[in-house]
Amino acid sequence: MDTSSPSAFVNGALLRRYIGQKVRTVIQVIGSDTGSVVGKSTDDLQIVVRGPSTTPPLTTYLEVIGIAESDNSIRAETWTNFGNTFDPQNYNELCKLASGEFKHLFI
């Protein structure tokens, strides 16, 4: 695992803490256009992801790693299809743990 450029696990609410920093999140795709995807975070907030074109077709869930540009947008470096079935509640709890008392366990 490359630990030289770690990314914080974030949901929609946590994104604002990491503006200008590398983050990773999972969104439920709502729509897409050339160079951007609109999605719902695991805590039901809207996030806009911009970056190089994704490889169609997108699945329902998408992991994004990139730089948080604002409290609701990410400039993507990497997009990964996570399939059509995913438990957003578990990921949301992971985000809370990774930014809370167990932060030291996450890079």
Side-chain angles (χ1 to χ4, degrees), residues 29-80:
V29 176
I30 296 171
S32 63
D33 198 356
T34 305
S36 69
V37 173
V38 176
K40 183 172 70 168
S41 67
T42 56
D43 57 346
D44 293 325
L45 298 176
Q46 184 170 299
I47 296 178
V48 177
V49 181
R50 295 178 182 85
S53 297
T54 59
T55 306
L58 295 174
T59 58
T60 303
Y61 292 95
L62 182 68
E63 181 189 48
V64 177
I65 301 172
I67 304 299
E69 292 188 313
S70 72
D71 62 353
N72 70 343
S73 69
I74 299 171
R75 185 179 73 250
E77 296 173 355
T78 306
W79 316 69
T80 305

Side-chain angles (χ1 to χ4, degrees), residues 2 5 17-18 37 39 50 56 61 95 101 105:
D2 180 12
S5 183
R17 291 189 194 175
Y18 297 94
V37 173
R50 295 178 182 85
Y61 292 95
C95 292
E101 69 177 294
L105 297 175

